[in-house]
Amino acid sequence: EIPGGRAYEEAQRLLPEGARVVSAAEHAYRWRFDSHTIHSLDCLGQASPDPGMPFFQGAEAVAAYFSGLGYTHLAFTPPRASVCLYSLQHWQAHIYGGQWMWRQWAPFFLDFMKTQRELAQTRRVIFRSPALVVVDLQTRVSGALAPDAAGP
């Protein structure tokens, strides 16, 4: 059993019928793709549907982009919990060093991790575990701190 594997089942039970999920989750193979529309993000900053993911423009721009594509939820592995593609430690280590390719990708991954955090502060979180967070992109949390006031 992979740690956190049950989180995907629990989270998916909470998704409403017709939910469309964009997923930056480490164990995306654990989703049941037969019950919801789920699209997995992979190499951030490399390719995305027109007009292109609005990196470096803030969480609101990304939420609007995903919503405009018909997504209702964002799922992600918390960056400090990830040991692979969505690992905060990995991308911080590669922002200034390592292979050329990792240095090119690092700013995009780090920006998206900031966006995830901000959306989890300003939108309703329908599921949270050490392995997985699912955010309802359509429902704002009243009284939420503005992302820049929430701190690092």
Side-chain angles (χ1 to χ4, degrees), residues 16 23 26 100 139 152:
S23 174
E26 189 146 291
W100 179 87
T139 307

Side-chain angles (χ1 to χ4, degrees), residues 60-110:
E60 293 305 315
V62 173
Y65 171 73
F66 286 146
S67 295
L69 293 174
Y71 294 105
T72 58
H73 294 79
L74 168 66
F76 61 92
T77 299
R80 293 186 191 281
S82 175
V83 296
C84 194
L85 186 60
Y86 305 107
S87 166
L88 177 63
Q89 182 179 356
H90 171 80
W91 292 110
Q92 284 176 331
H94 286 88
I95 190 80
Y96 299 114
Q99 294 181 357
W100 179 87
M101 180 174 68
W102 299 133
R103 287 192 315 270
Q104 301 308 305
W105 289 358
F108 295 97
F109 275 87
L110 293 170

Side-chain angles (χ1 to χ4, degrees), residues 6-137:
R6 293 194 194 280
Y8 290 78
E9 291 176 35
E10 293 173 27
Q12 200 155 6
R13 275 197 300 269
L14 297 173
L15 288 169
E17 186 176 330
R20 291 178 46 90
V21 181
V22 61
S23 174
E26 189 146 291
H27 301 289
Y29 60 89
R30 293 214 173 254
W31 292 117
R32 289 210 33 212
F33 292 94
D34 62 338
S35 60
H36 293 94
T37 300
I38 301 172
H39 294 147
S40 186
L41 297 172
D42 190 18
C43 295
L44 296 168
Q46 304 311 299
S48 56
D50 283 337
M53 195 178 307
F55 287 100
F56 315 107
Q57 295 177 41
E60 293 305 315
V62 173
Y65 171 73
F66 286 146
S67 295
L69 293 174
Y71 294 105
T72 58
H73 294 79
L74 168 66
F76 61 92
T77 299
R80 293 186 191 281
S82 175
V83 296
C84 194
L85 186 60
Y86 305 107
S87 166
L88 177 63
Q89 182 179 356
H90 171 80
W91 292 110
Q92 284 176 331
H94 286 88
I95 190 80
Y96 299 114
Q99 294 181 357
W100 179 87
M101 180 174 68
W102 299 133
R103 287 192 315 270
Q104 301 308 305
W105 289 358
F108 295 97
F109 275 87
L110 293 170
D111 179 65
F112 193 71
M113 289 173 189
K114 178 182 175 193
T115 293
Q116 292 170 343
R117 184 185 74 241
E118 291 175 4
L119 290 174
Q121 293 170 341
T122 61
R123 300 297 194 283
R124 183 171 70 103
V125 174
I126 67 162
F127 182 82
R128 184 186 305 270
S129 77
L132 186 67
V133 176
V134 180
V135 176
D136 178 347
L137 293 170

